[in-house]
Amino acid sequence: MRKTIFYISILVAFLLLVNVLEILITDFERLTKFGFGYLTGKIFLFLVFALVAYFIRKKNVKATA
């Protein structure tokens, strides 16, 4: 279950990052007040999904001898 959530959150974070970069590159000059709110929401969602993926990832713990 953790692996599924990890991969889904990675995929969603990547898609949100691509969308944010596309907005910044092509449409930044045309953004209105509502557009900046939309962009801020997309960035916030990207951070949420990236943090979920970060905290769910498998941590390799080396055994001490």
Side-chain angles (χ1 to χ4, degrees):
M1 185 67 172
R2 286 178 59 146
K3 195 181 262 191
T4 305
I5 293 172
F6 173 75
Y7 285 117
I8 289 173
S9 63
I10 286 288
L11 178 67
V12 172
F14 178 73
L15 292 174
L16 284 168
L17 179 65
V18 168
N19 191 277
V20 166
L21 290 175
E22 182 181 347
I23 290 171
L24 289 175
I25 291 170
T26 60
D27 296 329
F28 187 74
E29 310 83 40
R30 298 184 304 165
L31 284 179
T32 63
K33 208 166 39 169
F34 299 108
F36 280 112
Y38 178 76
L39 182 62
T40 304
K42 289 275 189 176
I43 293 171
F44 178 75
L45 282 175
F46 165 72
L47 291 175
V48 167
F49 281 105
L51 285 174
V52 166
Y54 177 76
F55 286 118
I56 290 183
R57 79 189 191 287
K58 182 178 178 182
K59 299 169 185 79
N60 291 333
V61 178
K62 295 184 179 182
T64 56

